[in-house]
């Protein structure tokens, strides 16, 4: 989704995995969550008991809160490789319900969780497939992507992590009893990605009433993509990534429930303008802003009245705003 923060301190060892095609042996157990029962975690070393699920953390972002909901960007991506299962588990260990991810399609049409439209930055694709420049996600099959190391770039302890399929990613979110802000990435590159993403969500049970009402938001920078999701599944909560002009906001209310702008483009007046309108489901439009990683800007964003803050460092933002 957004530009990643500078190199982070690796906070915990984690095992990784991927979907049916991308699953490694290490995927048989969750990583570094100190799990005591499915969906429940004990306090993490260095994080006090207050780090367990925080009040309101299980609600849909922006649902009547004065303190913003904190959403872990690509998982807790300051502490584990972004968009991997380890990042999901790290967010869970820190006590965060909501995680954000990015979905793209492989050459054979399998939804995979990865941010960049090429594989160079976060995998060893250049080494494994030296003759496949520019290493675009769309040019590789799921089986080929399953061969790639998606963790070593972040730190040696994550060597062997895999790019997860959406299927496997949803399994981990479900295991952790977490909630998902799912971004359809670069939809102009992937005709039919909305239908395929919804198909996987449906097959994994994520389009039942409970998930749709409480645990899932689908967003995109592409307005047409958000419209397609709304048309195909009108019950799903949707978000538009960006900062439309105030005068244009009413045109978004027919197909979206959230306007999710960059932190650098948001203000108190803008948030008020969004909140003054009702979205596709007849409720007030919500605002989740990105990407805020320091305490001072977290406090400032909360002061704007945003409903949620998307961050690589969810613990830092919670400490500043909670």
């Amino acid at each position: 989704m957004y530009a990643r923060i500078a190199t982070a301190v690796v906070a915990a060892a984690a095992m990784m995995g991927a979907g049916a095609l991308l699953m490694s042996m290490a995927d048989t157990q969750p990583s570094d969550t100190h799990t005591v029962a499915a969906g429940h975690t004990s306090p993490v070393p260095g994080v006090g008991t207050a780090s367990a699920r925080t009040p309101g953390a299980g609600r849909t972002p922006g649902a009547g809160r004065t303190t913003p909901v904190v959403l872990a960007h690509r998982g807790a991506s300051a502490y584990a490789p972004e968009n991997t299962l380890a990042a999901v588990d790290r967010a869970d260990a820190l006590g965060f319900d909501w995680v954000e991810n990015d979905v793209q399609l492989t050459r054979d049409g399998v939804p995979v969780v990865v941010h960049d439209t090429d594989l160079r930055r976060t995998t060893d694709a250049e080494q494994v497939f030296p003759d496949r420049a520019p290493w675009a996600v769309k040019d590789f099959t799921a089986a080929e992507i399953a061969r790639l190391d998606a963790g070593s770039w972040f730190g040696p302890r994550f060597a062997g992590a895999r790019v997860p399929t959406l299927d496997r990613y949803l399994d981990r979110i479900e295991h952790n009893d977490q909630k998902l802000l799912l971004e359809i990435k670069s939809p102009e590159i992937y005709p039919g990605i909305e239908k395929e993403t919804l198909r996987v969500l449906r097959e994994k049970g994520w389009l039942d009433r409970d998930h749709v009402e409480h645990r899932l938001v689908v967003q995109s920078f592409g307005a047409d993509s958000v419209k397609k999701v709304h048309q195909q599944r009108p019950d799903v909560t949707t978000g538009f990534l960006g900062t439309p002009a105030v005068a244009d906001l009413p045109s978004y209310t027919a197909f979206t429930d959230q306007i999710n702008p960059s932190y650098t483009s948001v203000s108190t007046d803008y948030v008020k303008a969004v909140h003054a309108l009702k979205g596709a489901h007849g409720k007030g439009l919500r605002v989740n802003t990105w990407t805020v990683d320091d305490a001072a800007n977290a406090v400032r964003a909360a002061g704007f009245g945003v409903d949620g803050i998307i961050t690589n460092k969810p613990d830092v933002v919670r400490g500043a705003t909670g």
Side-chain angles (χ1 to χ4, degrees):
M1 177 167 121
Y2 327 110
R4 201 189 164 280
I5 59 170
T7 304
V9 177
V10 178
M15 41 59 48
M16 307 269 69
L21 288 171
L22 306 180
M23 185 176 179
S24 69
M25 290 298 292
D27 284 328
T28 56
Q29 296 294 329
S31 68
D32 194 33
T33 55
H34 301 266
T35 302
V36 293
H40 300 277
T41 57
S42 62
V44 180
V47 182
T49 55
S51 70
R53 300 289 189 231
T54 51
R59 303 179 189 175
T60 298
R65 288 174 51 82
T66 55
T67 299
V69 172
V70 179
L71 302 96
H73 184 227
R74 307 178 199 171
S77 57
Y79 311 119
E82 62 182 62
N83 276 324
T84 63
L85 302 188
V88 168
D89 287 342
R90 188 60 183 153
D92 180 56
L94 290 168
F96 291 92
D97 289 335
W98 283 95
V99 296
E100 183 269 352
N101 75 345
D102 307 277
V103 174
Q104 300 184 56
L105 292 183
T106 64
R107 191 176 74 189
D108 48 345
V110 177
V112 290
V113 179
V114 60
H115 174 267
D116 296 3
T117 55
D118 68 73
L119 296 159
R120 290 177 293 177
R121 180 175 64 87
T122 58
T123 77
D124 60 349
E126 288 183 87
Q127 289 72 48
V128 177
F129 300 104
D131 59 344
R132 298 282 292 276
W135 299 280
V137 174
K138 66 181 180 63
D139 294 335
F140 288 79
T141 66
E144 289 172 331
I145 292 176
R147 295 172 55 187
L148 303 178
D149 181 338
S152 291
W153 69 274
F154 192 88
R157 69 181 62 190
F158 295 105
R162 302 301 175 192
V163 175
T165 59
L166 178 59
D167 182 290
R168 184 60 176 170
Y169 194 92
L170 292 172
D171 283 344
R172 187 56 58 89
I173 296 288
E174 190 70 56
H175 177 277
N176 292 346
D177 196 26
Q178 291 169 297
K179 309 170 198 307
L180 180 60
L181 176 60
L182 183 155
E183 179 187 346
I184 294 177
K185 186 72 178 179
S186 301
E188 67 279 2
I189 299 176
Y190 306 107
I193 188 172
E194 299 84 9
K195 183 177 181 180
E196 188 61 22
T197 298
L198 289 170
R199 181 191 66 78
V200 175
L201 287 168
R202 182 180 66 253
E203 289 183 355
K204 301 301 292 185
W206 274 74
L207 294 183
D208 65 12
R209 183 171 179 176
D210 177 66
H211 287 80
V212 165
E213 291 186 355
H214 305 293
R215 298 180 62 185
L216 177 67
V217 178
V218 178
Q219 65 176 358
S220 180
F221 281 101
D224 287 343
S225 184
V226 180
K227 289 177 184 178
K228 289 176 183 178
V229 171
H230 180 67
Q231 290 165 356
Q232 294 175 35
R233 285 297 302 229
D235 53 334
V236 170
T237 298
T238 56
F240 174 74
L241 280 162
T243 315
V246 170
D248 295 334
L249 286 172
S251 66
Y252 288 80
T253 62
F255 60 88
T256 195
D257 305 282
Q258 300 178 0
I259 300 294
N260 297 337
S262 165
Y263 167 71
T264 60
S265 67
V266 75
S267 67
T268 300
D269 287 343
Y270 189 80
V271 173
K272 287 181 179 178
V274 175
H275 283 167
L277 299 171
K278 291 184 177 180
H281 290 96
K283 299 178 181 179
L285 283 176
R286 306 298 182 183
V287 178
N288 297 318
T289 192
W290 46 270
T291 305
V292 180
D293 290 332
D294 64 279
N297 281 322
V299 171
R300 191 162 180 249
F304 292 152
V306 300
D307 302 293
I309 297 176
I310 301 168
T311 172
N312 300 303
K313 296 182 175 181
D315 53 333
V316 171
V317 172
R318 179 179 56 201
T321 63

